[in-house]
Structures are given as C-alpha cells and as structure tokens.
Amino acid sequence: MSEQGRTAPATGRTGPVDVVLVDDHLMFRTGVRASLDSRVRVVAEADDVPSAIAQVRAHTPPVVLLDVHLPGGDGGGGAEVITACADLLGATRFLALSVSDASEDVVSVIRAGARGYVTKAISGADLSDAVLRVADGDAVFSPRLAGFVLDAFGTAAGDVAIADDELDRLSAREREVMRLIARGYSYREVAAELFISIKTVETHVSAVLRKLQLSSRHELTRWAAARRLL
Amino acid sequence: MEIAADPVTPDRRPAPGGHAGRLPLRRPPGGRWFAGVAAGLAAHLGLPVRVVRLLLVLATLAGGTGLGLYVFLWVTVPTGDPASVAEDERPAALARLAPRLRSGQRTVPVTDIAVGLLLLAGAGLLVAVRNGVDVQLSWVVPTLILLAGTGLVWSQLDRVQRERWLSRAGGRTPVSLVRLVGGIVLVGIGVLLLIGQDEPVGVLVRSGAAALAVLAGAGLVLAPWGLRLVRELGDERAARAREAERADIAAHLHDSVLQTLALIRARADQPAEVARMARAQERELREWLYDDRSEPGTSLAAALRSVVAEVEDGRAVAIDAVVVGDRVPDADTEALLQATREALVNAVVHGRPPVSLYLEVAEDCVEVFVRDRGDGFDLDAVPSDRFGVRESIMGRVRRRGGTATVTSRPERGTEVHLRVPVRHPQRRDAEGWA
C-alpha cells in the first residue's frame, strides 16, 4: 500500500502499544491480530457497540482500532462508540478502519473524534505504523482520506484560507500536503518534497484533521446530516 | 381504501413448478364495459369474455344472482392489470422488464353511460306519470338519491386506487374528498327519506341526529383500530419495497460472488490469478454497494475507474486510485485517459508496486499523477524509437495543449504528471470520490 516506506515515528516509548480491536467479523479480527507486528499488542477485542464501549472503558488503551460499521447500540456504529467514550479522548485515540469508501462513513467517524482513517486493505506493517503514529497524537491520513478532504474543501483558487484560524478552508500549504498524500506520498516523502520537516507535515495534517472535525462547511455538515437521517 | 382481495383470489401465487399458473383476479383498466369485473373474471378463469358476460346476464335474469355477484366482485376486487400484477408477484430480479404497455384505457365511458341510464330512468318515470301510472314519489325519489350517492362513493373506490397506482402520493385531493362526503350525505338523505316516508321533518332530523351520534360513537371506538390498520399497511408496503431491493442486489451480486469464490477454490494454486479475481470481484462489489452508478459518458471519474479496472485485470496488480472532482468527459479528457492508461501500464510493467493514481478536476484543467516506487527512468535516455512513453503518453497530451512531465528519483520512485487544459468549465457537484 501507499503507506509503505513510512517510517515509524520516533518515540520515547518502551514496549508495545496496547490496542483494543473492534470489528464485528471474527475472521477479520484474527487477520489483523496476526498481521500486526511486535510494536503493537492487542489487549482486548469487541464485536459490537456495547461491548466496544465496555472494553474501551475497562482498558483505556492508547489506541482503539475501530470498524466503522458495527452492530448493536443505537445503530450509530463506530461513531457511536467514539461519542460514548468522548470523555476518554485525551488518553485514548481512535483509528477508524473500514472497507467502505463512502464519504458519509468517513465523515461520521472523523467528526466524532477519530484521529485517522485507513482502509482494511492496508498491510500489517503500515497498520502498525499508523497505530504508533496515532498513539503519538498524530493524525493518519490515507490517500483516499486526503482525496476526500480535497473534495470536501474544494480545489478552486478561491478556496484557499487567508488566515490560519479559518475552519472552512485549507491553507495553501495544507492543500499541498493533502495533494501529495493523495498522490501516494508518505509523510517522509511529503517532507522531502516540500523541504520541510516531518514534524511540520504532521502539524499540517493535524490542522487539517481539526478542520475536518470542527468545520461547518456545507459539504461536511450535509454528509453528517444525511448520516443521522438514515 | 385498499381492499385486500386475498379471500377472493386464493391462487395469486403461481403454481409451484411453473409460472403458467392462473392470473390473479383483478379488474383490468382496459377492455372493460362497465367496471371490468367480467374482463377480470375472464382473464382469471381463462374463459372468453363473451362467455363470462353471457353467464352473468343469464344469472342476473335468473333471480338476480349475477347482479349480486357483479356488485360483490366490483367492491372486493381491486383494479389492476392481471398480467403485470402476476409479474410483480415474481421475484424482483426476474421481472425487471418494463411494465407492459397498456393498450387503450377503458373503451366505454362509464360515467356517460351511468348518466345516460339515470336520464333514461327519469324520462321513463316522467312518461309513466304522464300516462297516469301512480308512481309513488316517496319511494322513487329516495331510491334515486340513494343510487346517486352510492355511485358517487363507489366511483371514488376506483379513482383513489388509480391515483395510488400512478403516483403513490397517497394523498386524497380535495375534489375526491368532496365526492366522498357528497356521496355519503346523499346516501344518508336517501335512506332517511326512504325509511321516514311520511314522518314529519322534525322526527327525521331528530332520528338523523341520533344516527349520526351513533356513527360518531362507533367511529371513535374504531378509530385506533383503523389507524393501526393504516399504519400496518404502510409498514408492509415499505417492507415489500425493501424486500424487492434486497432480492435485486442478491440476484446481481451473490451470483457473481459465489462464482468467483468457486473459481478461487478451483485455482487455489495460482496466487496471481486468485489475487486478480479477488481484486476484480472486490471492485464490482464496491461499485454496487457504495457508488451511485452514473450514466455512461457523464462522469470522468467513472471512466477513469474503468481504465484502472482494465489495467488491474490485465496485469494482476492493485492500483490505488484517488479522484477529486468530476466532470463530463470530452475529447480532451479522453486523450488524457488514454495517456493515463499508458502511464499506468508503464508503471505496472516497468516500475515497482504500489502504484498510485491521483486525478484532480479543476475549473480550467484536469491533472493526473501516476506514481510507482520503481527506480524510474531518464526521459532523455529513452530512445526516441521507443514509442511507448514518448508518443503514447507525452504526444497525446501535448497535442491537446497539455503538459507531461516525468519525475524520477532514485529511492523515491517515478511519477508521471499529466495536465490537460479543459475548455468548458463544467465541473459537476462531485459528491462521490473514488
């Protein structure tokens, strides 16, 4: 996958990162468990909304790997789990995992507070990298998520944010970063391409994630609203 | 006012083991003389209409049973084309044909005939009175009013159902409401006059009020039950629509998925082939589940996806495609797509996976990036006789006034960047993303 070659972020951590794995398919959970490398340890699994909330509350792991579509609860799936654990968001971070490319799925979990979104086709090493990155508080953007961001925020010249605190538009630099990620560049490659540090790339990506979560931009809210109406 | 006709139509479902079963009992909109009962019966029983009509007339003459049967069926049997109803009963996927063209709506204007009959009856009455026959108006007038009211209400039965068939709006128009109320009032007056006969007006009014009070009470008691019935009807209809949708998807998908799984099991020893089939099936499934399938020729994104699918299937690799924006394809974007295909093939054959594809539709241009992780190649070092890159990628794009660049860096892979200006900005509201 395109995340390949992305170096694991430098951390001061010793030992593996604890993860709660939430997915309603046993086969997929088994596959993920087997493909994750030694830097990640699965401490618990859950297969529906109530058990996911219970497991996350019981373990408060640094990272939760969360399927977008989950049975049970009020039918809100992964987003419902994140909302129910909103008070833990400082200590526990959610990485969404889905086979779906549907934009409303992405929007609902990201806006609920997930720190990233990867598709289930991701390789084990890339997934482990993504988990570590999320554990460090960074955002994880797959090329598809970056493409979605560009689609939602617009690519026309008038869509560039002037001020930094504008929530409804991306800055020119953020857009550049998003375009490179959409083209399949890893964070490291983006940094080399733009002659900036990886840390700066991560800052930009986190800023985009924040805008994705807080923006009231029409396209985003429309998708979110359509989701709730279903 | 949908009357469930199940008791009268015991064999709506086609007989097992063949669809040559009996047509359901419906009153067809075409080929009817009066209310379509005879035509419907004929279609249901497989008899000529003429025979059915003759039998009905004979039965009517012999004691009135024919008329009774006719009226009973008129009330209980819903309208509809028996043939298309029979098709609706079959699994949705099997009946995706266009609804059969209905040959001419009812040939005989029922309303005109009814009015004519009424006028004839009136004329006959007048003639009879003129000739000295002692017609008791106290009997005739209420009867006429009663008939008129009943006719008005019953004409409603057909109309409401027809409207529902056509628009499914379910709402009753004010006119139809007026008809209904008017009919009921007429019937009420007719009954009062008929029963009251020579009673004084005061008694009539009082008994009318008493009857109304009883009716209102009964309505109050029955209202919750009626409401629940209506709601259950709506639920059932929604459930049926869902069922049809599910059957549709099942027929289209499960077949191909099961087939692919069987193929994969048969060729488990050929990893490349298995990966290719799995990937192709995944794409098909994804398209069905998540995409709003767009009309051919209206979406550049869809065209690009089919190019990607072609290359993936041909070379057994996965291409990570991201599309931002969309537009209607034209000659310029067609050239760009051809060049993109060549670039993808080039990346798959000469480069190293993973291969990434990014397409961005802007107001004034369309850009494509094709990236692989191979060592790349020096464009100047490519001999000019190698047609591939130079002509099929660069030439195509440059002839359209675009630019094509290849960036190759050791350990950073190779990226082909194609950019074609587009003349008519017609960016669509892009909701989907690949």
Side-chain angles (χ1 to χ4, degrees):
Chain A
M1 284 306 292
S2 45
E3 279 92 348
Q4 200 182 51
R6 209 171 264 179
T7 47
T11 59
R13 171 187 318 111
T14 54
V17 176
D18 287 348
V19 164
V20 168
L21 178 56
V22 183
D23 192 291
D24 52 333
H25 292 111
L26 175 64
M27 205 156 91
F28 182 76
R29 289 203 305 270
T30 315
V32 168
R33 219 185 231 280
S35 69
L36 286 170
D37 56 30
S38 58
R39 296 170 292 165
V40 180
R41 186 177 61 193
V42 178
V43 291
E45 292 180 12
D47 60 1
D48 60 5
V49 172
S51 68
I53 297 171
Q55 291 293 350
V56 171
R57 292 207 168 275
H59 294 271
T60 50
V63 178
V64 179
L65 275 175
L66 185 65
D67 188 12
V68 172
H69 294 284
L70 281 179
D74 300 330
E80 190 183 334
V81 176
I82 303 179
T83 313
C85 301
D87 54 318
L88 303 176
L89 278 180
T92 297
R93 300 187 174 93
F94 292 86
L95 175 59
L97 202 60
S98 171
V99 287
S100 161
D101 291 339
S103 43
E104 56 264 34
D105 293 340
V106 189
V107 170
S108 63
V109 283
I110 295 287
R111 280 177 87 88
R115 294 295 299 171
Y117 184 98
V118 292
T119 48
K120 283 184 176 175
I122 192 171
S123 76
D126 290 344
L127 184 58
S128 306
D129 280 352
V131 168
L132 264 61
R133 197 175 286 282
V134 168
D136 286 341
D138 291 323
V140 170
F141 273 37
S142 67
R144 281 177 194 280
L145 181 51
F148 165 69
V149 168
L150 289 168
D151 228 355
F153 283 90
T155 51
D159 288 326
V160 177
I162 314 293
D164 278 348
D165 53 352
E166 265 191 86
L167 281 177
D168 287 352
R169 293 189 286 188
L170 300 182
S171 74
R173 208 50 194 251
E174 285 161 358
R175 187 187 294 171
E176 245 175 314
V177 171
M178 283 297 118
R179 285 186 89 197
L180 285 170
I181 293 176
R183 280 156 63 182
Y185 282 64
S186 67
Y187 286 15
R188 189 171 53 84
E189 288 167 333
V190 171
E193 183 75 20
L194 298 179
F195 304 106
I196 53 180
S197 71
I198 294 188
K199 204 67 225 164
T200 314
V201 174
E202 284 165 352
T203 310
H204 285 310
V205 173
S206 293
V208 173
L209 184 80
R210 202 176 124 260
K211 289 184 179 179
L212 203 50
Q213 285 168 344
L214 300 178
S215 168
S216 57
R217 206 178 153 89
H218 174 63
E219 286 84 348
L220 296 170
T221 44
R222 187 184 46 177
W223 276 313
R227 180 83 186 153
R228 238 169 275 129
L229 278 177
L230 278 176
Chain B
M1 281 200 72
E2 201 155 298
I3 295 175
D6 282 4
V8 220
T9 57
D11 49 1
R12 276 153 40 132
R13 303 215 169 273
H19 52 272
R22 214 167 252 190
L23 288 175
L25 187 53
R26 289 288 187 282
R27 293 189 286 118
R32 50 161 66 174
W33 275 8
F34 188 57
V37 171
L41 260 182
H44 178 59
L45 299 174
L47 292 171
V49 186
R50 243 178 262 172
V51 175
V52 174
R53 283 189 179 129
L54 192 67
L55 283 175
L56 275 175
V57 169
L58 286 179
T60 306
L61 292 180
T65 35
L67 188 67
L69 182 70
Y70 194 96
V71 169
F72 174 71
L73 289 181
W74 185 10
V75 175
T76 52
V77 176
T79 49
D81 186 1
S84 64
V85 171
E87 267 172 32
D88 286 349
E89 299 285 332
R90 285 161 57 204
L94 299 177
R96 294 198 93 202
L97 304 163
R100 78 182 45 227
L101 296 170
R102 284 176 183 81
S103 51
Q105 292 287 355
R106 62 170 59 168
T107 44
V108 181
V110 175
T111 333
D112 292 359
I113 288 182
V115 169
L117 281 176
L118 263 167
L119 286 178
L120 268 181
L125 212 70
L126 281 178
V127 170
V129 169
R130 195 50 71 81
N131 288 345
V133 178
D134 184 22
V135 177
Q136 283 196 319
L137 279 183
S138 62
W139 280 97
V140 172
V141 173
T143 309
L144 280 181
I145 295 178
L146 198 66
L147 276 178
T150 314
L152 209 56
V153 175
W154 280 12
S155 74
Q156 199 53 33
L157 189 73
D158 267 1
R159 183 152 303 237
V160 168
Q161 272 178 0
R162 218 177 301 137
E163 276 168 9
R164 192 160 293 165
W165 279 111
L166 287 179
S167 66
R168 295 196 72 91
R172 293 186 177 81
T173 56
V175 176
S176 67
L177 204 70
V178 167
R179 273 169 176 243
L180 192 69
V181 171
I184 289 174
V185 166
L186 274 183
V187 170
I189 291 175
V191 167
L192 269 181
L193 288 179
L194 205 58
I195 294 173
Q197 288 294 333
D198 296 329
E199 297 290 337
V201 181
V203 175
L204 280 186
V205 170
R206 237 176 298 143
S207 53
L212 271 183
V214 170
L215 278 180
L220 212 60
V221 171
L222 291 179
W225 179 76
L227 278 178
R228 206 188 60 204
L229 208 67
V230 168
R231 207 168 303 133
E232 278 174 1
L233 200 69
D235 288 352
E236 197 193 338
R237 200 174 294 150
R240 265 190 142 179
R242 268 199 307 276
E243 194 69 32
E245 170 87 18
R246 203 173 301 148
D248 208 26
I249 291 183
H252 270 82
L253 288 184
H254 293 187
D255 275 3
S256 66
V257 173
L258 287 178
Q259 209 166 334
T260 306
L261 285 176
L263 278 173
I264 285 178
R265 206 170 50 176
R267 301 190 190 176
D269 52 337
Q270 295 163 272
E273 184 66 7
V274 166
R276 191 188 64 75
M277 284 189 295
R279 177 75 183 166
Q281 186 59 63
E282 180 197 333
R283 197 174 44 234
E284 192 184 323
L285 207 57
R286 215 173 258 292
E287 227 162 74
W288 257 91
L289 293 178
Y290 303 121
D291 270 2
D292 295 330
R293 288 170 293 286
S294 46
E295 296 279 315
T298 58
S299 163
L300 179 61
L304 182 85
R305 271 196 288 275
S306 60
V307 165
V308 169
E310 192 192 316
V311 176
E312 278 187 342
D313 286 350
R315 312 276 166 174
V317 286
I319 294 167
D320 208 11
V322 176
V323 180
V324 171
D326 201 355
R327 59 172 282 133
V328 178
D330 57 17
D332 294 332
T333 59
E334 182 53 33
L336 181 73
L337 275 187
Q338 298 298 331
T340 304
R341 182 206 313 272
E342 294 304 323
L344 282 174
V345 170
N346 197 53
V348 167
V349 174
H350 301 293
R352 244 199 310 273
V355 177
S356 305
L357 168 66
Y358 174 66
L359 176 129
E360 185 179 306
V361 180
E363 293 286 333
D364 54 345
C365 72
V366 180
E367 282 182 280
V368 167
F369 295 87
V370 176
R371 183 162 185 259
D372 69 73
R373 307 304 192 278
D375 293 332
F377 53 95
D378 186 358
L379 197 58
D380 298 326
V382 175
S384 50
D385 61 324
R386 246 192 70 189
F387 207 64
V389 178
R390 266 197 190 285
E391 194 40 42
S392 61
I393 301 180
M394 316 297 227
R396 273 203 176 101
V397 173
R398 282 177 187 155
R399 270 197 298 279
R400 293 281 166 186
T403 56
T405 51
V406 178
T407 321
S408 232
R409 268 162 297 189
E411 291 180 26
R412 294 267 301 277
T414 305
E415 190 168 50
V416 179
H417 175 202
L418 309 171
R419 183 181 187 280
V420 169
V422 284
R423 289 183 187 90
H424 313 288
Q426 42 185 320
R427 190 177 188 282
R428 302 192 321 169
D429 179 27
E431 276 194 44
W433 51 299

